[in-house]
Amino acid sequence: MSEPKYAKTNINRTFIKAPIDTVWSTLVATDKALPFFFGSICQTRDGLKPGAQYRMVHPNKKVAMVVGEVIAFDPPHLYSHTFQMTNIDEPPCKVTYALVEKDGGTEFSLTIENAIEGGKLIKEMAGAQGFIGSNLKALCETGKPAFTGRLVRLLGPIFGLLAKKSQRIEHWPLS
C-alpha cells in the first residue's frame, strides 16, 4: 500500500482589530456555541492541553461534527490539533491557529496540513478558512458574528437534522 499524497499546506491570515487576549479567549472558548466554527461547541474532558481529546458538537449536543486531539497549546499564541470531520471517511489533518500581536490588533493565521490531496476534507477545510477568519474577526471586533455566521446559526437546526447516524455523539466519546 502506498503512502497517501498530501495536499499542500494551506494558510489563511486575517487581521483582527482586537487585543491578542480577546482573540485568544474567543478562539478557545469551550462553554458556548462558536459562530466562527459553524455554531459548534468545543468539548473536552479536562480542558484544552496537549494530548487532550476534543470534539466539536452541534448546539443540540446530539451530533459530533469534528473530533481530534490537541497537539500544542501555548496561550495566547498557538493552538494546534488533529481534525477529523465525522461525516467524511478520511484520516485527520492537522490544524494550527497562530496569533501574533501587530500594531492595532492581532494577526490570526489558520494553517491546514496533512490532508489527503484531492480529498473531501481539504476541500471542506480550504473552503471554511475564510468563513472562520471573517467570523472570528467580526466577533472579536464587534461582539457579533458576521452575516454568514448569523445565517449558519439560523440554519443550525436543519444541519442537525441532516446529520448522519454515524455522527451521533455516542459514537464519538471523549476518553
Side-chain angles (χ1 to χ4, degrees):
M1 192 168 181
S2 63
E3 277 292 310
K5 187 168 181 182
Y6 294 111
K8 66 179 181 147
T9 297
N10 198 322
I11 302 171
N12 182 278
R13 289 185 179 86
T14 304
F15 182 76
I16 302 172
K17 293 179 188 172
I20 194 170
D21 290 330
T22 298
V23 179
W24 179 261
S25 63
T26 304
L27 177 67
V28 299
T30 58
D31 57 348
K32 58 187 170 194
L34 304 172
F36 51 90
F37 288 144
F38 299 89
S40 62
I41 301 164
C42 181
Q43 294 182 334
T44 69
R45 277 205 184 271
D46 301 317
L48 295 171
K49 59 186 176 187
Q53 288 187 337
Y54 77 93
R55 63 185 175 198
M56 302 301 289
V57 300
H58 186 276
N60 69 15
K61 298 188 179 159
K62 295 177 182 176
V63 176
M65 298 160 58
V66 172
V67 295
E69 182 177 315
V70 178
I71 298 167
F73 196 78
D74 182 20
H77 299 285
L78 181 74
Y79 172 30
S80 183
H81 56 78
T82 61
F83 183 99
Q84 180 182 2
M85 293 180 76
T86 61
N87 65 332
I88 296 175
D89 187 24
E90 290 180 16
C93 65
K94 178 183 174 186
V95 173
T96 301
Y97 312 99
L99 304 180
V100 177
E101 285 184 284
K102 298 277 184 172
D103 245 3
T106 304
E107 182 182 78
F108 167 71
S109 297
L110 169 52
T111 303
I112 304 165
E113 300 173 89
N114 303 332
I116 302 297
E117 184 175 296
K120 290 180 183 179
L121 182 60
I122 189 62
K123 288 176 186 163
E124 292 282 333
M125 289 297 296
Q129 281 179 308
F131 176 92
I132 293 167
S134 67
N135 277 280
L136 179 62
K137 174 181 177 67
L139 192 60
C140 291
E141 290 179 357
T142 70
K144 294 186 253 179
F147 172 76
T148 55
R150 294 191 305 271
L151 187 59
V152 165
R153 183 174 35 204
L154 289 173
L155 297 174
I158 295 168
F159 295 144
L161 293 172
L162 297 175
K164 298 176 182 178
K165 289 181 180 171
S166 62
Q167 292 180 270
R168 289 185 182 155
I169 201 163
E170 60 266 19
H171 299 298
W172 304 96
L174 295 171
S175 54

